[in-house]
Amino acid sequence: MGSGIRQTEEGMCSYGKSIAMRPTSIYVHIPFCERHCAYCDFNVYTMKKWGDLPERTVDAICSEIRRAATTLQHDIVVPTIFFGGGTPTFLRADALAQIVQTVRDSFTVENEAEITAEANPATSDAAKFEQMRVDGFNRLSIGVQSFNDSLLRSLDRTHSSHEALAALRAARSVGFSNVSLDLMFRLPGQLMEDWLQSLETAVSLKPEHISLYGLTLEPGTRFERLYAGGRLQLPDEELEAAMYEGAIALLKQLGYHHYEVSNFARPGFESRHNRVYWDNGEYLGFGPGAVSYFAGRRWKVERVPLRYVEKAACGADMVVEDETLPSHQALAESLMVGIRQLDGLNLGRLSARYAINVENYYIDELKQLQQDGLITLNSGVVKLTHRGLLVADTVASAFIRLPSIGAV
Ligand code: SF4
């Protein structure tokens, strides 16, 4: 490698070499939604008439899972499976079960594997959740976003606050004991009182996990167009920071562990699947547009559902983007995602993984970030300060390096 960095087995990425039972998480992308929310730029599709496209997509996902199991040539053990989207609960429970069963038939799934589905309150009910429990799902992530109906309407969400409450009750009634709620702040016209009210309603329901997201204006979304045309007012930076800090204070006071920039959990209920991403670990993605990261390679498959289905039917190559990451880039990405974990990032472990002294390699960046009061570095563990937390993306971007910069 030009940078002098290489990945070691400790980092799970020894190129081309089979390791006994390689832990690899699985992500399944369900790209269907009833309506396109005003802020969303995910790979999602809405249609007036679906025909049999959802069923054919599920069949195609299953055939891709089987194909990966035979072509990857690694003994994979699956610690976590995550269904995201789009809207996984857009599908019937038996379709979700078909995919889970295909994963079980194709790979070794840990007995205690975390199996999560994102759930939209508009397409969730006790009967569906009950069947999902039977089929092995043990965690739900419910997209509440707000308990304020007028804000929900402004986002183009299809559910009401009442339906969000009903979804959580339904989850509890069939025995889900690990439930996460997603909430959004910095919404158009949202006041501090609105935000705290939604948050207080959420915590009164005692979810095991809460994710908080500040609205961002993504290119191509309805909100971005409105904003560009001066027709969308958003809370200013100061209010946005106050909303975030207010939430941190409240959730900490109630005993939630703030373990990642946007995520809070009761101790022991941190998302195992998302930890894999923040540890820059390996995962296989299935479904239209899904990304995989495995054995030093990152690839993305066909994103349009109809083309995905047609390609799967004739066994064509699904991959539309494919790159082998140079180790200096993999290291930079490990820092960029790892720094988001509030318990700190152990540079010694990264040094072992990439066979380089990371503290020396990044000596200038680490020094500058400390001088700016954005991180602390003690005994080889780097952590965001409170100030760093408010600008976490800027801190992360400090670790991007040009390949030509020499190694130590
Ligand atoms: S339901 Fe979720 S995935 Fe679907 S459009 Fe809305 S935000 Fe995007």
Side-chain angles (χ1 to χ4, degrees):
M1 293 283 162
S3 62
I5 310 171
R6 63 189 169 78
Q7 294 193 3
T8 64
E9 286 197 9
E10 209 259 352
M12 302 169 288
C13 288
S14 62
Y15 300 99
K17 182 178 170 189
S18 181
I19 302 168
M21 302 318 279
R22 191 177 179 120
T24 305
S25 286
I26 287 186
Y27 172 76
V28 180
H29 190 75
I30 306 300
F32 307 120
C33 290
E34 287 190 328
R35 192 193 296 165
H36 206 136
C37 300
Y39 56 91
C40 177
D41 73 337
F42 295 158
N43 184 35
V44 297
Y45 297 84
T46 57
M47 284 188 193
K48 286 214 174 71
K49 289 195 176 144
W50 291 96
D52 60 358
L53 184 62
E55 290 78 10
R56 290 170 69 203
T57 304
V58 169
D59 289 341
I61 289 171
C62 291
S63 82
E64 283 309 289
I65 293 169
R66 285 190 289 270
R67 177 149 68 154
T70 55
T71 56
L72 282 174
Q73 298 181 335
H74 288 275
D75 290 328
I76 285 169
V77 61
V78 179
T80 67
I81 307 173
F82 192 100
F83 284 68
T87 308
T89 51
F90 177 93
L91 296 178
R92 293 197 317 264
D94 60 346
L96 296 169
Q98 183 187 338
I99 300 172
V100 173
Q101 191 54 47
T102 306
V103 173
R104 291 190 189 283
D105 294 343
S106 308
F107 303 108
T108 303
V109 176
E110 278 182 8
N111 287 339
E112 303 299 320
E114 178 189 89
I115 307 183
T116 305
E118 289 180 342
N120 185 320
T123 49
S124 301
D125 57 39
K128 183 176 282 184
F129 283 163
E130 185 165 28
Q131 191 55 50
M132 288 168 68
R133 279 273 299 151
V134 170
D135 296 328
F137 286 89
N138 50 28
R139 184 170 184 272
L140 290 174
S141 173
I142 302 178
V144 173
Q145 316 313 353
S146 172
F147 283 102
N148 177 317
D149 282 328
S150 79
L151 285 176
L152 286 171
R153 277 192 297 275
S154 76
L155 298 174
D156 292 340
R157 298 290 301 186
T158 49
H159 71 270
S160 63
S161 58
H162 179 77
E163 285 171 310
L165 290 168
L168 185 79
R169 284 197 198 105
R172 294 300 196 206
S173 74
V174 301
F176 274 101
S177 56
N178 189 355
V179 177
S180 179
L181 302 183
D182 281 2
L183 292 174
M184 293 178 74
F185 60 100
R186 195 198 177 217
L187 301 180
Q190 190 180 34
L191 304 173
M192 191 66 169
E193 301 89 90
D194 299 323
W195 169 235
L196 290 178
Q197 220 167 44
S198 274
L199 200 57
E200 278 160 12
T201 305
V203 295
S204 73
L205 302 168
K206 300 190 172 17
E208 285 69 32
H209 188 281
I210 298 183
S211 300
L212 309 178
Y213 300 106
L215 175 76
T216 53
L217 294 168
E218 303 300 336
T221 60
R222 190 168 76 78
F223 270 1
E224 191 240 2
R225 286 192 297 276
L226 287 175
Y227 190 78
R231 285 174 293 137
L232 188 74
Q233 301 295 320
L234 295 177
D236 61 21
E237 261 181 40
E238 208 176 312
L239 179 52
E240 181 187 3
M243 286 175 166
Y244 181 48
E245 288 180 306
I248 293 172
L250 178 71
L251 293 173
K252 273 191 179 163
Q253 192 191 331
L254 293 171
Y256 284 91
H257 175 207
H258 187 190
Y259 71 104
E260 194 269 348
V261 173
S262 305
N263 288 281
F264 302 77
R266 294 256 174 240
F269 288 95
E270 294 82 2
S271 163
R272 286 173 59 198
H273 186 85
N274 285 336
R275 279 257 197 232
V276 172
Y277 299 141
W278 300 320
D279 288 339
N280 205 16
E282 298 190 311
Y283 56 92
L284 297 173
F286 298 100
V291 173
S292 300
Y293 180 49
F294 187 80
R297 236 185 98 207
R298 179 163 51 214
W299 67 92
K300 183 176 180 177
V301 296
E302 174 60 58
R303 58 181 280 136
V304 178
L306 190 58
R307 286 211 296 263
Y308 182 89
V309 163
E310 287 170 353
K311 283 186 174 181
C314 63
D317 187 5
M318 287 283 182
V319 177
V320 292
E321 286 172 30
D322 196 352
E323 59 177 341
T324 298
L325 295 191
S327 290
H328 65 83
Q329 189 182 337
L331 168 60
E333 290 184 7
S334 288
L335 279 148
M336 291 172 74
V337 287
I339 193 76
R340 297 180 63 87
Q341 305 191 71
L342 270 62
D343 291 341
L345 179 62
N346 187 317
L347 297 184
R349 263 190 229 135
L350 276 189
S351 296
R353 177 171 173 178
Y354 293 98
I356 192 169
N357 186 321
V358 175
E359 218 170 313
N360 286 346
Y361 185 70
Y362 275 112
I363 191 163
D364 294 337
E365 291 86 347
L366 291 168
K367 205 181 280 175
Q368 189 62 52
L369 290 168
Q370 286 179 91
Q371 274 169 13
D372 295 342
L374 299 175
I375 60 162
T376 59
L377 176 59
N378 291 311
S379 311
V381 176
V382 60
K383 280 188 194 180
L384 288 172
T385 60
H386 183 76
R387 210 167 136 213
L389 193 56
L390 300 177
V391 288
D393 290 342
T394 309
V395 175
S397 65
F399 298 110
I400 299 170
R401 273 279 188 98
L402 294 174
S404 57
I405 294 174
V408 287

